[in-house]
Amino acid sequence: MPVVEPESKRVLVADDEMNMRRVLEAILRREGYDVVTAANGADAFAQMNRSIHTVITDLKMPGLDGMGLLRKLQTDFPEVPVVMITAHGSVENAVEAVKLGAFDYLEKPFEQEQIRQIVAKAMRTHELARRDARPEEPFGRGRFRLIGESPAIRQIYAVVEKVANTPSTVLITGESGTGKELIARALHENSSRHGGPFIKINCAAIPKTLMESELFGYEKGAFTGAVGAKPGRFELAHGGTLFLDEIGEIPVEMQVKLLRVLQESEFERVGGIKTIKVDVRLVTATNRDLPELIAEDTFREDLFYRLNVVPIHIPPLRERREDIPLLADHFITKFNDRLRKEITGISAQAVAVLGSYHWPGNIRELENLMERTMLFCEGPQIEGYDLPPEMGHGGTTPAAGSAAAWLTTTGTHSAPPPLDDVAATHPAGPGGGGPATPPSGPITLTSLPAVTSAPAGSLKEAVRAETERVERGLIMRALEETNGNVTQAARKLKISRKSLQTKMKEFGLRDRESVRET
């Protein structure tokens, strides 16, 4: 088996001064980075691609300057951190750039250690951002730029509408790749603060020793390398929203200071004595179980209650499979434009394969897969055989009884078979005599029999109807196998108990006499 080389970390340096480009390139290469250089913003943007992980650009350049480059990168490469380099007289412009979405800025002259620290933080931020759903372009499709019409997503829409224009803190929870930043942006953009800055920081990307100066800023001489004063993220977010992602990674000693800012809206810079007051709406997110961290004494309970005024939980993609056709259609439209393709849609067979996959990387994984598939797709639409083998479609045609076979050929289906018939498809032994004991372990789509006919209608309607039919059948079977125990059935289905209860209510299964909550 060939050895897969780790992906190199690449930095694009844009500066109209040749000496500055050479100095930055030398420093970064000594740190092990690949470096690409450009003499102006237009040349830098022309060289941009997915292999660039961080951009360092001078603020003032002829033609397309640093601010112009930042705006173009935010549209086409929103996950790539942009670091601004500025002279002393233009620091205010660099601060404004950070408010508009730049990752950070460096003031000339700077120390080599400053470059190392900022690029290391930027690289770590980019690595973490690649796991989450990408922010969509302004005026993108979907409500609040979100794609989905499942009950769970509609509930999130309702919460965003109610709390967006309030000062209340919001805690967004969910696995990596579910789109927590999209919710944070929706809260900001639909509030009276939408004209103010939206400042984001991934706490997991910041070394613990730098966390305080990152959040609260520092004064000149506060520590070695502090050659000038610098505002922190709270100051930069004044009048707008501060989004702290991975809040569970903040060290305990810093949690005390964060709590004070939430209570009093004031703080001091590192090395400073002047108290600074700010008006900031705080939104936080995490993929960790904060109550569990509280039990382990690694997260303060009083801070948790301050942050958790409005909780929003984003379910993983495997718990809202009915949104997959809408997401797939959205990504086809998006990548047709970006990749200059003319894919007209996705076949029912391919949708079924996507629907049967577990999606550990959630929406971000689906997005990456759709981009890769469209790059190599030769036909007018995506077929099951265009998807990578790890999706489990079994080659050019779906295997009989596999998940892909649920939506094959005609695109029409019959009603789900009775549970007794499902059990009969798993005979007790080689002779197959008598009804069998249902198989133990997790319930999956592949454990149900294939069907061959269904109602006519649009592809989306057929897929939605089939998804609901399959989900209902899986839930009924899980409840049958666990004698109506909801907790055990949820465990078998590999979804949360709350999600199962929601689905049962949706399908009218809550009132069955045999259902037990525990």
Side-chain angles (χ1 to χ4, degrees), residues 370-419:
M370 291 297 294
E371 182 176 9
R372 176 173 36 148
T373 300
M374 289 180 65
L375 274 170
F376 296 101
C377 181
E378 300 292 341
Q381 70 173 3
I382 296 173
E383 302 288 350
Y385 51 75
D386 289 316
L387 300 173
E390 59 264 29
M391 298 300 295
H393 56 79
T396 58
T397 58
S402 70
W406 282 83
L407 286 169
T408 319
T409 60
T410 64
T412 58
H413 313 287
S414 61
L419 287 171

Side-chain angles (χ1 to χ4, degrees), residues 159-465:
V159 173
V160 171
E161 283 184 342
K162 286 183 178 179
V163 306
N165 199 26
T166 71
S168 302
T169 56
V170 178
L171 175 61
I172 307 167
T173 57
E175 297 178 4
S176 295
T178 51
K180 295 186 287 294
E181 184 182 334
L182 297 179
I183 302 297
R185 286 185 177 275
L187 290 166
H188 173 72
E189 292 170 359
N190 290 275
S191 73
S192 58
R193 297 173 178 268
H194 67 273
F198 176 83
I199 302 295
K200 63 177 181 177
I201 179 173
N202 193 308
C203 300
I206 310 301
K208 293 181 179 180
T209 54
L210 300 178
M211 186 69 72
E212 184 175 8
S213 60
E214 193 74 28
L215 292 177
F216 307 123
Y218 55 84
E219 297 291 353
K220 181 179 179 179
F223 49 82
T224 303
V227 295
K230 188 174 183 179
R233 303 290 165 158
F234 270 97
E235 278 183 79
L236 294 172
H238 180 67
T241 302
L242 177 60
F243 175 48
L244 299 183
D245 200 2
E246 303 301 347
I247 188 68
E249 305 302 323
I250 287 189
V252 175
E253 57 272 17
M254 189 55 52
Q255 294 174 24
V256 179
K257 297 181 179 181
L258 181 57
L259 184 62
R260 179 200 167 195
V261 179
L262 286 173
Q263 291 172 335
E264 303 174 13
S265 298
E266 63 182 33
F267 59 90
E268 291 81 37
R269 290 180 179 176
V270 176
I273 57 174
K274 178 184 176 182
T275 298
I276 300 172
K277 282 196 167 287
V278 290
D279 173 23
V280 172
R281 202 268 182 88
L282 187 65
V283 178
T284 59
T286 183
N287 60 10
R288 303 189 65 182
D289 186 341
L290 293 187
E292 185 176 303
L293 296 184
I294 292 171
E296 296 171 356
D297 290 329
T298 57
F299 201 87
R300 291 180 62 97
E301 188 173 16
D302 48 2
L303 177 59
F304 171 73
Y305 291 130
R306 277 282 181 175
L307 299 177
N308 198 40
V309 175
V310 179
I312 297 179
H313 177 70
I314 309 177
L317 188 54
R318 62 184 173 275
E319 292 184 10
R320 57 182 186 104
R321 297 179 190 271
E322 60 267 50
D323 288 332
I324 290 177
L326 293 173
L327 287 162
D329 182 60
H330 165 70
F331 291 134
I332 288 173
T333 301
K334 176 178 179 177
F335 291 123
N336 267 337
D337 181 58
R338 178 174 293 177
L339 304 176
R340 295 181 174 85
K341 302 282 284 188
E342 295 182 354
I343 304 297
T344 59
I346 182 169
S347 72
Q349 174 191 343
V351 169
V353 174
L354 297 179
S356 69
Y357 185 59
H358 191 57
W359 298 112
N362 292 295
I363 297 174
R364 189 55 185 260
E365 184 180 6
L366 173 61
E367 180 179 16
N368 291 344
L369 180 134
M370 291 297 294
E371 182 176 9
R372 176 173 36 148
T373 300
M374 289 180 65
L375 274 170
F376 296 101
C377 181
E378 300 292 341
Q381 70 173 3
I382 296 173
E383 302 288 350
Y385 51 75
D386 289 316
L387 300 173
E390 59 264 29
M391 298 300 295
H393 56 79
T396 58
T397 58
S402 70
W406 282 83
L407 286 169
T408 319
T409 60
T410 64
T412 58
H413 313 287
S414 61
L419 287 171
D420 290 344
D421 292 344
V422 173
T425 63
H426 299 275
T437 302
S440 59
I443 304 295
T444 64
L445 283 174
T446 54
S447 64
L448 294 178
V451 291
T452 56
S453 61
S458 71
L459 172 60
K460 288 183 180 178
E461 290 171 352
V463 170
R464 185 177 292 109

Side-chain angles (χ1 to χ4, degrees), residues 93-143:
N93 292 332
V95 170
E96 191 63 28
V98 174
K99 291 181 178 181
L100 293 175
F103 176 75
D104 209 338
Y105 72 89
L106 277 167
E107 182 182 353
K108 301 175 184 177
F110 47 78
E111 302 286 340
Q112 290 190 26
E113 184 59 26
Q114 288 178 282
I115 284 283
R116 296 190 189 99
Q117 288 182 356
I118 285 181
V119 173
K121 288 188 297 183
M123 285 292 179
R124 178 62 176 156
T125 297
H126 179 266
E127 178 186 346
L128 294 169
R130 292 174 71 177
R131 303 176 189 174
D132 209 356
R134 294 172 185 163
E136 295 300 329
E137 61 279 358
F139 312 112
R141 300 173 63 205
R143 195 173 175 188

